[in-house]
Each structure stands twice: as structure tokens, then as C-alpha cells.
């Protein structure tokens, strides 16, 4: 995989990705995102670092219940909320912000919606966001700038085998791709190192979701994301196509497997990486930011 984005054809329609980023969940955070957030939060028990500050990247889509779990694990840590799209910021603030009369104001640190500290936060939590980014390397770079020296990033994303049954169904029927391509966990690790993170640890598991009807399956899939493939069907689909999709999905369910329910696989990737102190490349003339200089001096002490 080439590390230079200019050398790779686009795998995501940037305009479609921007529209998705502005779309607020209709009925709270997606169930699958909350479940993945719960599993990722459980992995924090193996990290000995105790952050004094942390930030949640887009919790409205990533999981409000997962946000609460992290806040409960680090009750004394200052917590920040980052909604990269302004269209979701007010909605998130209304959900996570504690009113003056709420008992939550006396139950540990409250979520802050202002800018994160100049030196960064000790933990950046980013649940189920990376696979929907039009430019994931730029996003990882932004995450790197948000994390403090010796802090760490914790993230999850969908992997390449996600909904492979649906992709095969579309291919068999001669339809355009069912979804954009998801990135392999080893490539995420390479991007993390390229951005300046160190010691990336990647993990993967597969989850199978089942539904009794095609309508139930499609309704849940709509909460998880959109087809951002540049070669996806460009117009509106008609009722005939919708009926054909429903019939094809129903045909994948057999009494011998999953109790006759429609089943789709999801590959879940987990990753974390630390941010080491910056290093200055040896050259006749080198430029170092004030923040990097401060970090290097503190590391020296």
C-alpha cells in the first residue's frame, strides 16, 4: 500500500462522506457502535497509563453510552468532546452537557466542549469513525496533533470483511459495489507510524448480526453508515430494485444456519498507539514548533 495519498485512487466519495458526517443519528448512537465501544473500553484495563485528560471524538455517532463508560473509568480526568462537524456539536452538547440542577455536576468531571489543551490530551478516544473518513491519513494526523506527548490514541473501525455476504450478493446480481472498501488493520498500523505514533497494537474480531426480515436488516445498516464508493449507483433506486434486494437478502437465510435469520458479518478492528516525544531530523537548518520544543524539554527533565 502506497503511503502517499496522491499515488492511490480515491476509495471514498469525499462529498458523500461530508454529507454523512453532518447527519445526526435519528434514535441515538447505533447499537453496534455502542457494543464495540463497550468492548474497546474493556481493553483499557490493560493500559497502565492513567490519563489526566481525555477527549472523545464524535461521541454522538461513536457511542454516548461508551462515552459514559470511559468517564466512569477515569472520573478525575478532564474530559473533552470533539465534534468535527459543527452540525452535530449543538446536539451532542445538549445530550452530554449537565444542566445546573443535575446531580451529574457533582459526580466527577463534566464534559467540556471548548478547545482541547494546547499540549494535547492524554487519551484520544475515537470509536467507529476512521472507516468513514474520506482522507483517513489526514484524520490520523489530526488525531496525532490532539494527543499529548506520552499520551495515547484508542480507536476502532470496520475491516475489509465487513458485510462480505452483501458485497457478494451485489456482485452476483451485477450491481455496482455495495459499499466502499475498508482498510486492513496492518495498513492502519502503517498509517499510525507514518503520522508519528509509536508502538501501535492492532487487534481484530468478527461479529455476526442477524435479523428476522430484510426490512430490519436494512434499517439497522442505515444507522451504521452509507455506501461511499465512488462507483456506487449514482441515482435513486426504484421500488422494483428495492423489492429485488429484499428478496435476495431473504434468500440468503436458510433454516440450517442462524435459525433461518438473515446474517451479515462485521470485521471489527481495534487499535491503540502512543505518541512519543518528537525527534528533530538532523539537517543544516531545522524548524521546531513551540509545542514540540516544550515536549522535548519536558522529556529531557
Amino acid at each position: 500500500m502506497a503511503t502517499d495519498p496522491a499515488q492511490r485512487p480515491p476509495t471514498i466519495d469525499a462529498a458523500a462522506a461530508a454529507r454523512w458526517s453532518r447527519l445526526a443519528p435519528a434514535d441515538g448512537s447505533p447499537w453496534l457502535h455502542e457494543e464495540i465501544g463497550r468492548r474497546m473500553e474493556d481493553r483499557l484495563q490493560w493500559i497502565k497509563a492513567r490519563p489526566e485528560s481525555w477527549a472523545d471524538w464524535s461521541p454522538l455517532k461513536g457511542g454516548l453510552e461508551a462515552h459514559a463508560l470511559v468517564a466512569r473509568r477515569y472520573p478525575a480526568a478532564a474530559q473533552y468532546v470533539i465534534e468535527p462537524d459543527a452540525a452535530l456539536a449543538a446536539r451532542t452538547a445538549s445530550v452530554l452537557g449537565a444542566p445546573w440542577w443535575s446531580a451529574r455536576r457533582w459526580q466527577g468531571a463534566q464534559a467540556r466542549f471548548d478547545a482541547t489543551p494546547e499540549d494535547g490530551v492524554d487519551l484520544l478516544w475515537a470509536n467507529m469513525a476512521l472507516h468513514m473518513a474520506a482522507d483517513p491519513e489526514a484524520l490520523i494526523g489530526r488525531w496525532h496533533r490532539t494527543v499529548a506527548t506520552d499520551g495515547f490514541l484508542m480507536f476502532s473501525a470496520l475491516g475489509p470483511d465487513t458485510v462480505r455476504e452483501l458485497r457478494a450478493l451485489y456482485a452476483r446480481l451485477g450491481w455496482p459495489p455495495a459499499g466502499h472498501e475498508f482498510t486492513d488493520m496492518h495498513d492502519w498500523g502503517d498509517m499510525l507510524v507514518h503520522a508519528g505514533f509509536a508502538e501501535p497494537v492492532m487487534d481484530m474480531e468478527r461479529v455476526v448480526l442477524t435479523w428476522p426480515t430484510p426490512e430490519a436488516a436494512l434499517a439497522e445498516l442505515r444507522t451504521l453508515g452509507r455506501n461511499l464508493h465512488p462507483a456506487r449507483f449514482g441515482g435513486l433506486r426504484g421500488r422494483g430494485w428495492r423489492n429485488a434486494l429484499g428478496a435476495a437478502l431473504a434468500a440468503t437465510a436458510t433454516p440450517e444456519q442462524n435459525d433461518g435469520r438473515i446474517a451479515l458479518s462485521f470485521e471489527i478492528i481495534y487499535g491503540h498507539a502512543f505518541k512519543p516525544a518528537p525527534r528533530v531530523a538532523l539537517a543544516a537548518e531545522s524548524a521546531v514548533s513551540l509545542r514540540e520544543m516544550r515536549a522535548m524539554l519536558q522529556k529531557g527533565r
Side-chain angles (χ1 to χ4, degrees), residues 42-120:
D42 188 60
R43 285 164 161 76
L44 288 173
Q45 66 179 301
W46 308 113
I47 298 180
K48 297 188 180 300
R50 300 292 296 181
E52 296 181 1
S53 62
W54 69 284
D56 195 342
W57 185 272
S58 196
L60 193 61
K61 288 185 174 181
L64 296 171
E65 294 176 14
H67 176 95
L69 289 175
V70 180
R72 192 177 308 149
R73 180 176 289 274
Y74 304 122
Q79 56 175 291
Y80 295 82
V81 171
I82 304 173
E83 281 294 355
D85 197 291
L88 301 184
R91 173 86 174 270
T92 307
S94 68
V95 175
L96 287 180
W100 66 268
W101 44 263
S102 172
R104 282 189 294 153
R105 283 188 173 271
W106 293 273
Q107 295 174 349
Q110 299 304 308
R112 298 180 55 172
F113 299 88
D114 52 341
T116 55
E118 181 183 351
D119 291 337

Side-chain angles (χ1 to χ4, degrees), residues 20-275:
W20 166 250
S21 70
R22 294 191 294 268
L23 186 63
D27 301 310
S29 306
W31 176 88
L32 180 61
H33 292 194
E34 294 285 17
E35 174 62 18
I36 298 310
R38 183 189 65 77
R39 299 183 185 197
M40 187 163 71
E41 189 275 338
D42 188 60
R43 285 164 161 76
L44 288 173
Q45 66 179 301
W46 308 113
I47 298 180
K48 297 188 180 300
R50 300 292 296 181
E52 296 181 1
S53 62
W54 69 284
D56 195 342
W57 185 272
S58 196
L60 193 61
K61 288 185 174 181
L64 296 171
E65 294 176 14
H67 176 95
L69 289 175
V70 180
R72 192 177 308 149
R73 180 176 289 274
Y74 304 122
Q79 56 175 291
Y80 295 82
V81 171
I82 304 173
E83 281 294 355
D85 197 291
L88 301 184
R91 173 86 174 270
T92 307
S94 68
V95 175
L96 287 180
W100 66 268
W101 44 263
S102 172
R104 282 189 294 153
R105 283 188 173 271
W106 293 273
Q107 295 174 349
Q110 299 304 308
R112 298 180 55 172
F113 299 88
D114 52 341
T116 55
E118 181 183 351
D119 291 337
V121 293
D122 298 323
L123 161 62
L124 179 60
W125 173 272
N127 190 38
M128 298 293 276
L130 195 52
H131 59 272
M132 296 297 288
D135 190 345
E137 288 175 292
L139 180 56
I140 291 174
R142 183 174 175 183
W143 288 352
H144 183 268
R145 293 188 294 274
T146 305
V147 176
T149 299
D150 294 328
F152 65 101
L153 165 70
M154 198 88 177
F155 76 95
S156 62
L158 294 178
D161 278 348
T162 296
V163 295
R164 63 178 186 269
E165 302 89 348
L166 189 64
R167 295 176 189 273
L169 184 153
Y170 271 55
R172 186 172 69 251
L173 295 175
W175 294 343
H180 56 283
E181 298 297 325
F182 296 134
T183 301
D184 181 84
M185 67 176 181
H186 300 98
D187 291 330
W188 286 138
D190 291 342
M191 290 187 208
L192 290 168
V193 172
H194 189 257
F197 285 104
E199 304 176 35
V201 176
M202 312 301 297
D203 187 17
M204 180 271 288
E205 68 175 337
R206 287 184 172 86
V207 175
V208 176
L209 300 186
T210 66
W211 301 270
T213 65
E215 291 73 22
L218 294 173
E220 180 148 9
L221 287 176
R222 280 193 291 269
T223 70
L224 302 181
R226 292 291 186 272
N227 182 355
L228 305 180
H229 200 294
R232 71 192 184 283
F233 186 77
L236 295 175
R237 293 290 200 176
R239 184 177 301 174
W241 177 87
R242 174 63 179 77
N243 292 338
L245 174 59
L249 273 175
T252 65
T254 61
E256 296 79 17
Q257 293 183 325
N258 302 302
D259 297 324
R261 295 165 64 92
I262 296 167
L264 292 177
S265 304
F266 292 80
E267 179 183 340
I268 312 300
I269 294 173
Y270 304 93
H272 72 264
F274 287 84
K275 179 178 177 177

